[in-house]
Amino acid sequence: MSEIPARAKEPTESTESEGPSADAPLGDAVWQSSPPGSIYDYIKVASFSIGPDGLVDQWSLRAEQLLGIRAGDAVGTDPIEAFIDPDLRERGQRKMTEILDGREWTGVVPFRTPDEVDGTGLPAAGRRGHRGLAEVYVMPTRTEDGEKAAVCIVVDVRVLRSIETDLAASQAIFGQSPFGFLLIDPDLRVRRANQRFASIFGGTPDDHRGKGVHDYLPRAEADRVSATLRRVLETGDSITDMHVTGFVPGSEERRHWSVNLYRVHSGSGRPIGVAWLGTDITARRQAAREAANARRNLALLNEAGARIGNSLDLETTARELLDVVVPGFCDLATVDLYQGLLVGDQTPPGLADGSAELRRVAFSSAVSDAPFLGTGERVKLGAVHHYPFNSPCADALRTARPRTVPAEDGGLVQSTLAVPMVAHDTVVGLVQFARTKGSEPFGDRDRDLAVELAARAAVCIDNARLYRREHERALILQRSLLPPGDPEASGLDIACRYLPGNAATGRASEVGGDWFDVIELPGHRTALVVGDVMGRGLRAAVAMGELRTAVRTLAQLDLEPAEVLSQLDEIARGLGAPGGVQQATRAARRPREADLSEVYLATCVYAVYDSVTRRCTFANAGHLPPVLVEPGESALMLDVPPGLPLGVGGEPFEEVEVELPEGALLALYTDGLVESRDHPLDEGLQAFVGALTDPAQPLEDVCDQVLNTLDSHHGEDDIALLMARVQGLPSDSVGDWTLPREPRSVGRAREYARAQLLSWDMEPLVDTTELLVSELVTNALRYGEGEIRLRLLLDRTLVCEVWDSGLVQPRRRRARDTDEGGRGLQLVGLLSAAWGSRRTPRGKTVWFELPLPGADTQLTDPAEALLSLF
């Protein structure tokens, strides 16, 4: 190696660090300094030469290291005598003769290194000789004089065997590995590929030599992997489970691999490339994706069960469905419901034909500038529309099966499912789920999940539809039982408000049992009633109607307020049992220990106002106290003993009589006005009392002011508010006389009546009134007791009352032709607009009522009435 080839290159930094490339031109010599990085580094080759005399004439440094003999001690010695065991020396001499005769020879020779001795002639410590095997390669040569000599190359057999073992193990691992194995050189080219890699990407392992990652992966993915390979080469940091995505030749299926990368070094520690160990995880990724989808679907179903159907409102339920699926399941979605459902029409059983009108009730999107879902038409939220007969959406509605909607060219949506909402074999609407480009298209599992989600929402919507129908029926029933129009009462200015729970809160709720009533009683008296059946729903509304009817019936009997509530309590105790009102007739005979779960509890305040005396008598059954505002005074709650609610029984009710000044304002109400979850009852009552600051303004305005002021206190309960302003009957509209118990009082009564009517300018009523007053006073003399009182009241009608101390109530009967009497009450019934009798604390009162003369009033001729009786 004394001559340098003409094309040899000067050493550079790159050649020193990277070493020679396998693909370098054969004519180029690459010079490098330390480390050598050669195979000889592994096997540690030693050399020496033998002269023509058979003695060592050159001894290398590696020979010193391998055989443990210094060059000075080795040169000039006989190698056979120095290194070969005595029993092998004879054979060794023969071989040496053959070598010096010009023959090559290779063999394994046992050798022994000598002991190193110190000055005493004993072996030095730690430097005793050892035995070994050396593989010797002897090449004949000649000296400058032409004499025969030899060059010997010596390798330790243990090193060779170790290298063979390492190569065999490496080959087994590389060739038999079930994973794709590559050795990539510093130029990022495949230096070696195993059979497993070749079986995936085609050809033989040698066919892949020299290729790069761009030959196997898409550009973006190849760039990412190349950068990672360079980083491993530079830093030596290993990469574990790097996911790589690409395609294999002849297949359009996207494949996924898990790749481990680590830097490979030479025996001297020089980096010579990167090992690539890859395994196909496509099936594992698919299984993981399916498992994740299954978990997502289960989570969606659980969420749907928790969030859909919390409201009994159709539109709210539709929005709840979209809140669940966007963006967890799809990127945008819409809900269309049949218009007939929304307006209360009855949906026919069986599958829909897809031709009916629908209304878009819900839309949700997770993307900006969301497009329309469907086949080209643009439907806004809240719009009524229908799908073309041959469209996938109409087909889904007809068949009750999900359909795939083709994507529009150039649109953002790439996958759409039209899923009918089916509840109890009835299609109630259509849901469209869509995914935009870049998202994974809908698969079979997605379709199944979409059907399940739509079905759950459909059941909730159908329940909401049924509830809405029953709710509307209950409201119709409830409102039909309330007083029609604006109630009128003698001596009172009336205003009222009734707000169902959903109207008061803006949310759907069940109907309640609140009611109010204004009942005109004889003698220009008025009964004011406000009540509340505890509980909600249709049964509560029915119970309310039954109690209201019972109140009106009891009021017409002209009972005292406490007695009315006592009778009503017995009726309420029979409402919960089967038979409803029919149980009322048996309620009085039921034991007081009856199960309260069988009855409806209710609260009620019953007041009777007399416009002549301006006195009002109250009785309360567990209801909130009335509020009174006298002119110039602050509002106050009347101290009326509350008593027990109706239906509990066992305790009598108390009465409180209050004189109401002219212009006073009386308010009766239910707890929905003053009580809610967010505000305690006391706070609501104080707010109500504080809202009555200007009672002199028109009553309608007072009602509006109260509702507006207490808006923050409104709960979910119904609200009933009844307000009355006192306008007592003027004294000049009342005629009142006391008559002695004697026959001539009949004539006096006629005279008093005639004179009073003439003073009121009511001459058309004089004859009829005289006749009927004569009959009533005569009956009082004949069947009553004590002194007689006659009273005439003029307001919207003329009322005549005859009082006495007798307890026997008059009874109308049909007189026979031969009877001389018995026709007086028949005559009263024929000539009056109404008549009746009521008990008083000191006897009874018999009364009749005549309409005032006017253009629309037809008065009965007394003579004709008398003739009709005979």
Side-chain angles (χ1 to χ4, degrees), residues 552-840:
R552 295 188 72 87
T553 301
L554 294 171
Q556 295 302 325
L557 296 177
D558 219 344
L559 302 177
E560 296 297 323
E563 181 63 21
V564 170
L565 293 186
S566 295
Q567 295 296 327
L568 202 61
D569 175 63
E570 295 294 344
I571 294 173
R573 290 167 57 82
L575 292 182
V581 179
Q582 297 177 5
Q583 288 294 109
T585 58
R586 298 190 290 272
R589 298 193 294 272
R590 295 183 62 177
R592 293 294 178 182
E593 296 79 10
D595 185 2
L596 291 181
S597 63
E598 296 182 359
V599 303
Y600 267 100
L601 299 181
T603 63
C604 180
V605 61
Y606 184 89
V608 175
Y609 169 72
D610 189 332
S611 62
V612 178
T613 63
R614 290 201 308 272
R615 302 189 68 84
C616 188
T617 305
F618 297 91
N620 192 353
H623 203 79
L624 295 174
V627 174
L628 177 65
V629 187
E630 296 186 4
E633 302 290 338
S634 299
L636 58 88
M637 289 180 286
L638 294 177
D639 186 14
V640 179
L644 295 176
L646 302 174
V648 176
E651 294 294 333
F653 297 96
E654 300 183 45
E655 291 182 355
V656 172
E657 189 176 68
V658 178
E659 183 173 353
L660 304 179
E662 185 77 17
L665 182 64
L666 180 66
L668 306 179
Y669 53 95
T670 58
D671 57 1
L673 180 67
V674 295
E675 186 177 27
S676 72
R677 302 183 206 174
D678 303 326
H679 303 277
L681 178 60
D682 291 344
E683 181 181 336
L685 288 172
Q686 292 302 321
F688 176 44
V689 171
L692 298 173
T693 56
D694 188 10
Q697 62 180 326
L699 274 188
E700 295 294 336
D701 296 340
V702 175
C703 288
D704 293 339
Q705 177 182 342
V706 168
L707 294 179
N708 293 333
T709 303
L710 271 67
D711 181 68
S712 60
H713 298 277
H714 288 168
E716 295 184 354
D717 202 359
D718 298 350
I719 295 175
L721 174 63
L722 177 61
M723 307 193 80
R725 178 177 287 119
V726 174
Q727 296 175 343
L729 196 64
S731 58
D732 57 1
S733 296
V734 179
D736 195 348
W737 306 273
T738 300
L739 302 172
R741 190 170 188 80
E742 58 186 27
R744 60 181 179 177
S745 292
V746 177
R748 288 183 180 177
R750 287 197 299 267
E751 292 175 0
Y752 293 150
R754 171 180 286 272
Q756 186 66 64
L757 289 176
L758 291 177
S759 67
W760 287 338
D761 199 18
M762 291 293 166
E763 184 177 356
L765 298 180
V766 169
D767 293 341
T768 302
T769 303
E770 279 188 307
L771 179 60
L772 298 185
V773 165
S774 177
E775 292 292 337
L776 296 186
V777 173
T778 300
N779 285 343
L781 290 173
R782 183 176 298 176
Y783 305 108
E785 299 178 6
E787 63 181 5
I788 301 170
R789 181 181 175 189
L790 171 66
R791 190 170 71 170
L792 295 179
L793 307 175
L794 178 64
D795 192 21
R796 291 178 294 116
T797 61
L798 175 68
V799 177
C800 175
E801 298 175 328
V802 176
W803 302 18
D804 68 75
S805 301
L807 298 178
V808 179
Q809 296 291 322
R811 181 173 63 87
R812 182 179 177 181
R813 63 183 180 86
R814 180 173 294 280
R816 292 174 295 183
D817 294 342
T818 57
D819 292 341
E820 295 183 0
R823 294 180 176 84
L825 293 181
Q826 291 187 45
L827 183 63
V828 173
L830 287 174
L831 294 177
S832 65
W835 77 280
S837 173
R838 66 177 184 274
R839 289 197 178 101
T840 64

Side-chain angles (χ1 to χ4, degrees), residues 48-316:
F48 62 92
S49 61
I50 301 174
D53 56 0
L55 301 178
V56 176
D57 60 2
Q58 288 185 359
W59 192 258
S60 68
L61 293 177
R62 281 284 177 89
E64 289 184 356
Q65 298 171 0
L66 176 63
L67 301 175
I69 301 175
R70 299 183 183 95
D73 297 332
V75 173
T77 61
D78 184 347
I80 302 300
E81 294 293 333
F83 311 127
I84 305 301
D85 288 337
D87 56 346
L88 297 176
R89 288 175 181 172
E90 181 180 355
R91 185 178 176 185
Q93 293 294 344
R94 291 198 301 268
K95 289 295 183 183
M96 179 61 68
T97 303
E98 294 176 357
I99 292 171
L100 292 177
D101 194 35
R103 294 179 59 185
E104 290 187 4
W105 180 83
T106 301
V108 177
V109 178
F111 68 91
R112 177 180 59 82
T113 62
D115 297 334
E116 182 177 340
V117 297
D118 56 17
T120 64
L122 297 175
R127 295 295 296 166
R128 293 182 179 276
H130 67 279
R131 296 179 180 273
L133 288 175
E135 185 174 290
V136 181
Y137 177 44
V138 182
M139 298 174 290
T141 186
R142 290 183 183 273
T143 64
E144 292 180 356
D145 297 334
E147 295 182 287
K148 294 181 179 182
V151 175
C152 299
I153 297 176
V154 183
V155 180
D156 192 333
V157 172
R158 292 174 301 175
V159 175
L160 290 177
R161 297 296 178 266
S162 176
I163 292 175
E164 290 175 353
T165 302
D166 290 345
L167 288 175
S170 176
Q171 180 61 32
I173 294 174
F174 196 84
Q176 300 174 21
S177 172
F179 309 114
F181 214 148
L182 296 177
L183 181 60
I184 300 175
D185 65 20
D187 294 330
L188 304 187
R189 296 289 177 181
V190 175
R191 176 69 62 85
R192 188 177 179 186
N194 71 343
Q195 183 59 43
R196 176 60 178 168
F197 184 87
S199 67
I200 297 174
F201 287 92
T204 65
D206 291 338
D207 294 335
H208 297 278
R209 190 183 304 272
K211 292 185 177 181
V213 292
H214 285 81
D215 296 320
Y216 303 101
L217 300 175
R219 181 180 181 84
E221 188 76 339
D223 290 343
R224 181 179 70 89
V225 174
S226 296
T228 304
L229 289 171
R230 291 190 184 94
R231 187 167 63 253
V232 172
L233 275 171
E234 293 171 359
T235 65
D237 296 334
S238 299
I239 300 295
T240 303
D241 195 25
M242 178 178 73
H243 288 193
V244 178
T245 302
F247 301 89
V248 298
S251 174
E252 295 182 358
E253 179 186 3
R254 185 185 298 270
R255 307 298 292 270
H256 303 273
W257 294 277
S258 173
V259 176
N260 297 324
L261 303 175
Y262 58 91
R263 191 168 68 181
V264 180
H265 305 84
S266 66
S268 61
R270 177 176 60 86
I272 61 174
V274 176
W276 169 301
L277 182 64
T279 180
D280 192 324
I281 60 171
T282 303
R284 189 175 77 189
R285 283 278 298 266
Q286 180 65 26
R289 187 184 303 110
E290 291 182 358
N293 289 340
R295 289 192 297 269
R296 181 204 63 184
N297 293 351
L298 181 59
L300 279 173
L301 289 175
N302 289 338
E303 186 181 6
R307 296 181 60 182
I308 300 176
N310 293 324
S311 169
L312 288 173
D313 179 75
L314 277 72
E315 292 84 350
T316 302

Side-chain angles (χ1 to χ4, degrees), residues 355-431:
S355 61
E357 289 185 334
L358 299 104
R359 184 194 303 172
R360 180 144 298 174
V361 297
F363 171 79
S364 181
S365 173
V367 297
S368 59
D369 193 21
F372 167 76
L373 295 183
T375 54
E377 58 178 315
R378 301 294 186 264
V379 179
K380 296 182 179 179
L381 185 65
V384 177
H385 67 104
H386 65 85
Y387 290 104
F389 184 81
N390 58 351
S391 66
C393 294
D395 186 55
L397 291 169
R398 282 193 301 273
T399 62
R401 296 179 181 274
R403 291 290 183 263
T404 300
V405 180
E408 294 184 358
D409 294 337
L412 181 64
V413 176
Q414 72 158 347
S415 183
T416 303
L417 284 177
V419 183
M421 307 178 73
V422 184
H424 312 299
D425 293 331
T426 299
V427 177
V428 299
L430 182 77
V431 188

